[in-house]
Amino acid sequence: MGRRALITGVTGQDGSYLAELLVSKGYTVYGLVRRLSTPNMTHLAAVKERIHLIDGDLTDQSSINNAIRESQPDEVYNLAAQSFVQTSFKQPTLTCDVSGVGVVRMLEGVRLHAPQARFYQASTSELYGQVQREPQDEATPFHPRSPYGFAKLMGYWAVINYRESYGLHASNGILFNHESPRRGIEFVTRRITHGVAQIALGKSKNLHLGNLAARRDWGYAPEYVEGMWRMLQQREPSDYVLATNTSFTVAQFASLAFKVAGFRNWRKFVSVDQALMRPAEVHTLRGNPKKARKRLGWQATTRVPELVKKMVAADLENLEGPRR
Ligand code: G4F
């Protein structure tokens, strides 16, 4: 019989790429979706007819239990979260409820209703926060710098505790930033590529950004969902860093994006807006994915210059329609 998977956060960037991957591998895929008055299914266009959507919410235990009972999953991927760091400073308790306690609710649901299922938790490089070592790997101490970061830290430890207490096959993927044309417009990479496309098409004159000196290890999202799947194919559960081991500043990312669109002097278009600065910043992140390479045979291949090209091209196409 084919395998069954339940994905929370299925309508997002990672959830939609993962749904496509699992459908292509012959899984029966269930997705947990939060009820919205205007549902956003854009990213699911390619697989919508082939997956099953179940209403539910990470803040509601009964809907989680129901989704697990209904889908009877072999694999559960918990990708849902309040995932925007900036918002977590404005909505700290909501962020903790969804991105921290929500993980415990998912683990409880699995423990009670599908204890044989393998569980993937979307952990994050934001756990490292004020970084203690460079590059960061699975043994680097954590120092979160936002409510998002400390909520995710709770989820990370909940996974380890359920593994140790109840023998669940539960793994943390400590993913560094991973982007794509499906990235939400509020995140800096997409804000830049969308802004550049607007300027190139004469729809805008400038782009407001926050901390230009922030440095990130940016990879390409479809490659990272493959890594998530590989983690759940291992005999033993564990925790893995997925990253490129290269890093760029926001300024460098912006400069490359303007260059792709034919502008040499990116500074002319960019102004710094203090409102986009964070109360506590994660200044730099770079991950060491050696364990994932060795145990999962996983490697990131797309680097920032290529990623920027894909994202700018997609934003130009979205805004002007397909080029002939
Ligand atoms: O794109 P960002 O908002 O992503 P951030 O905060 O690194 O978090 C993302 O990656 C994490 C993985 O490490 C995920 F866990 C998390 O859910 C999310 O997907 O910001 C990146 C950097 C920050 O240092 C920010 O201060 O870019 C800086 N930045 C500069 N100008 C900006 C802007 N960020 C945003 N969002 N918008 C700006 O205009």
Side-chain angles (χ1 to χ4, degrees):
M1 216 175 71
R3 279 179 291 175
R4 301 157 73 89
L6 173 65
I7 305 172
T8 73
V10 72
T11 56
Q13 167 187 265
D14 291 5
S16 59
Y17 284 126
L18 181 64
E20 287 170 17
L21 179 77
L22 297 182
V23 165
S24 78
K25 289 183 184 295
Y27 280 71
T28 303
V29 174
Y30 292 80
L32 188 77
V33 283
R34 200 154 42 97
R35 206 202 72 80
L36 295 173
S37 46
T38 319
N40 187 357
M41 299 291 164
T42 323
H43 299 331
L44 288 177
V47 287
K48 202 169 151 247
E49 305 307 325
R50 285 182 286 164
I51 67 175
H52 308 273
L53 299 178
I54 305 176
D55 285 336
D57 195 306
L58 281 207
T59 60
D60 179 49
Q61 185 75 55
S62 64
S63 66
I64 291 172
N65 293 351
N66 176 50
I68 293 171
R69 279 197 303 262
E70 188 178 330
S71 57
Q72 281 302 303
D74 300 296
E75 296 173 13
V76 176
Y77 295 86
N78 186 36
L79 311 186
Q82 190 304 95
S83 65
F84 188 37
V85 173
Q86 182 94 341
T87 295
S88 79
F89 287 102
K90 305 221 166 73
Q91 301 182 337
T93 57
L94 173 84
T95 302
C96 288
D97 199 12
V98 178
S99 311
V101 185
V103 185
V104 184
R105 294 190 186 100
M106 287 298 297
L107 287 163
E108 270 299 276
V110 169
R111 180 177 79 81
L112 294 170
H113 302 290
Q116 299 312 315
R118 297 182 171 194
F119 185 86
Y120 172 86
Q121 168 58 19
S123 283
T124 162
S125 53
E126 281 294 300
L127 299 177
Y128 299 115
Q130 185 73 22
V131 300
Q132 311 286 306
R133 282 204 287 271
E134 181 89 10
Q136 297 83 51
D137 64 18
E138 294 80 2
T140 306
F142 298 132
H143 182 150
R145 293 270 284 171
S146 64
Y148 172 80
F150 61 70
K152 282 282 185 177
L153 188 60
M154 179 185 190
Y156 169 89
W157 280 112
V159 165
I160 293 174
N161 183 258
Y162 273 64
R163 192 156 81 201
E164 293 173 353
S165 306
Y166 306 114
L168 290 195
H169 189 297
S171 299
N172 282 295
I174 308 172
L175 270 53
F176 283 62
N177 300 49
H178 45 287
E179 319 292 309
S180 76
R182 295 186 193 172
R183 190 53 144 151
I185 204 110
E186 66 273 32
F187 297 94
V188 74
T189 54
R190 185 73 202 293
R191 187 176 170 88
I192 292 171
T193 61
H194 183 258
V196 163
Q198 283 198 310
I199 292 169
L201 297 173
K203 294 176 193 278
S204 169
K205 289 198 174 0
N206 49 38
L207 173 61
H208 298 280
L209 292 172
N211 180 11
L212 297 175
R215 189 173 270 283
R216 287 291 183 277
D217 180 331
W218 282 296
Y220 183 44
E223 295 171 3
Y224 286 57
V225 302
E226 166 78 27
M228 297 174 188
W229 176 77
R230 288 190 188 201
M231 285 177 214
L232 295 204
Q233 310 317 305
Q234 302 307 299
R235 252 178 81 89
E236 299 299 330
S238 193
D239 308 313
Y240 297 92
V241 160
L242 300 186
T244 70
N245 207 354
T246 58
S247 71
F248 289 76
T249 62
V250 170
Q252 286 171 319
F253 194 103
S255 153
L256 285 166
F258 276 98
K259 212 174 273 175
V260 167
F263 299 104
R264 295 270 143 213
N265 186 3
W266 66 278
R267 282 271 180 194
K268 216 169 75 184
F269 302 100
V270 172
S271 52
V272 170
D273 181 347
Q274 292 303 319
L276 295 165
M277 300 289 184
R278 295 172 181 183
E281 175 65 294
V282 174
H283 297 287
T284 182
L285 289 171
R286 179 162 66 89
N288 179 356
K290 206 163 127 198
K291 179 176 170 186
R293 191 161 57 237
K294 214 166 142 203
R295 294 222 208 148
L296 308 178
W298 180 88
Q299 211 169 341
T301 55
T302 306
R303 293 290 182 269
V304 160
E306 199 188 330
L307 176 65
V308 170
K309 279 190 199 148
K310 284 183 200 289
M311 291 179 69
V312 171
D315 274 314
L316 283 169
E317 187 170 319
N318 282 342
L319 288 172
E320 69 177 345
R323 284 177 175 170
R324 273 189 269 158

